[in-house]
Each structure stands twice: as C-alpha cells, then as structure tokens.
Amino acid sequence: MVDVAGEVVDPGLRTLPPGSRVGDAIDAAGGPVPGAETDLINRARPLTDGEHIVVGGDAHQPGDAPAPVRQGFDSQGKVRLNTATADDLEELPGVGPVLAGSIIAHREQHGQFTSVDQLIAVSGIGETRLADLRERMVL
C-alpha cells in the first residue's frame, strides 16, 4: 500500500501488487494532472510498502535532500484529513482525543472526505471550529 499525493487526478492510498513501480502507483491515482512536474520522478523505481509518493509541487533539484514529510501531513505541514491518525488530528487547535476519534470514525463509516467542509457532519464540529480547521487541513 502506498500514498500517492500532489498533482495527480485522484490522490490517496493505493494497494498495488508486489513488484509494482512508482509509475504504476501514479497511474493508479489517475496519472499526473496536466502541467504537473514529473521530470524528477523515477517512475521505474520499485515501490516499498507504506511509501509516500508526491507528484509535482515544489520539485527538488538533483542532489537536494527533500524536506521530510510526516505521514499524516503535506509538505506545508497541513493535516491530511483522509490519512491522518488520531495523534495527527490532535495537533490541530481544539481537537482532542474524543474529537479526533469522531473524525476517524466518520471517515471509516462514510469513506474518504471529498471536502474539508464535510467535517461539519462530524459530531462536535460546528461552523466556528470548522473555520479554525479549514486552513490547516487538506485532503
């Protein structure tokens, strides 16, 4: 299982057969969006379980060490609503263990969020809290 993120048609988790390559994961996510930077991606590299593949965005120059990206966060430090753990969610203002658990339970019951605004359906999140979270989260 890998997480394909960034400038692809359908970012998210993908389960691929053993022996799959980076290109297979990108294709499974619908391919790069038009204009996405892919020159620095080695599409032939074999995948490893749990890998995070980012397409496009701020491309690093060869030899540059990429900035570390934590599992439940994007490269700007925003929480990824569809992959965040309870601990990740608890780093958000006003989100404790109970609310983090409610967000994850909602995601497990209803599937991935298609908009951060769908958090309004989670018990404990009202308009004010949603406004506080909106700029700190991505899908």
Side-chain angles (χ1 to χ4, degrees), residues 95 99 103 119-131 133:
V95 177
L99 187 52
I103 292 170
L119 281 170
I120 198 73
V122 175
S123 177
I125 296 182
E127 290 294 335
T128 303
R129 180 155 296 143
L130 178 61
L133 298 176

Side-chain angles (χ1 to χ4, degrees), residues 21-86:
R21 308 283 178 152
V22 170
D24 298 325
I26 293 169
D27 291 344
V33 297
E37 179 61 49
T38 60
D39 291 343
L40 298 178
I41 297 173
N42 179 359
R43 296 174 63 98
R45 184 176 54 76
L47 292 170
T48 58
D49 186 43
E51 188 168 346
H52 182 86
I53 300 162
V54 180
V55 176
D58 296 332
H60 296 283
Q61 296 300 316
D64 285 352
V69 177
R70 298 183 332 191
Q71 177 83 18
F73 297 82
D74 74 358
S75 60
Q76 283 76 47
K78 292 184 179 184
V79 174
R80 291 185 179 280
L81 182 55
N82 286 322
T83 59
T85 65

Side-chain angles (χ1 to χ4, degrees), residues 7 107 115:
E7 297 176 8
R107 184 174 70 201
S115 166

